Amino acid sequence: MRARSWSDLSRWQRAGILTLGSVELALTAAAAVDLWSRPRTEVNGVKARWWPVLLIQPVGPVVYLLRGRRHPHRALVT
């Protein structure tokens, strides 16, 4: 059984791959820019340990954006 090539995929399959790939790239870029520019006091844990997490696709950038950042000015909900 041979692997499918790009030309073997339907129009919708190619569109889906390109869309999901774009979302993954955008999330990774946003997380990397945020990690680079955020002071270490506003990062949960050590910044150097978050860089490899960003490479775990597709969940790494999402995990960082949800759990890796501290929000010191966020009001507590009561």
Side-chain angles (χ1 to χ4, degrees):
M1 180 156 127
R2 76 176 185 89
R4 294 175 79 179
S5 67
W6 183 255
S7 60
D8 293 336
L9 299 175
S10 73
R11 181 182 194 183
W12 293 108
Q13 289 171 324
R14 287 183 279 186
I17 290 170
L18 290 174
T19 301
L20 292 175
S22 298
V23 169
E24 185 175 316
L25 182 63
L27 282 172
T28 303
V33 167
D34 183 84
L35 182 58
W36 180 265
S37 61
R38 187 173 290 272
R40 69 178 181 194
T41 58
E42 293 183 19
V43 174
N44 288 325
V46 180
K47 282 178 81 167
R49 291 188 183 156
W50 280 108
W51 287 108
V53 173
L54 296 184
L55 300 176
I56 302 170
Q57 297 297 328
V59 297
V62 175
V63 169
Y64 169 73
L65 291 170
L66 293 176
R67 304 297 243 162
R69 304 179 299 166
R70 289 188 183 148
H71 300 284
H73 304 295
R74 182 181 286 176
L76 294 175
V77 178
T78 57

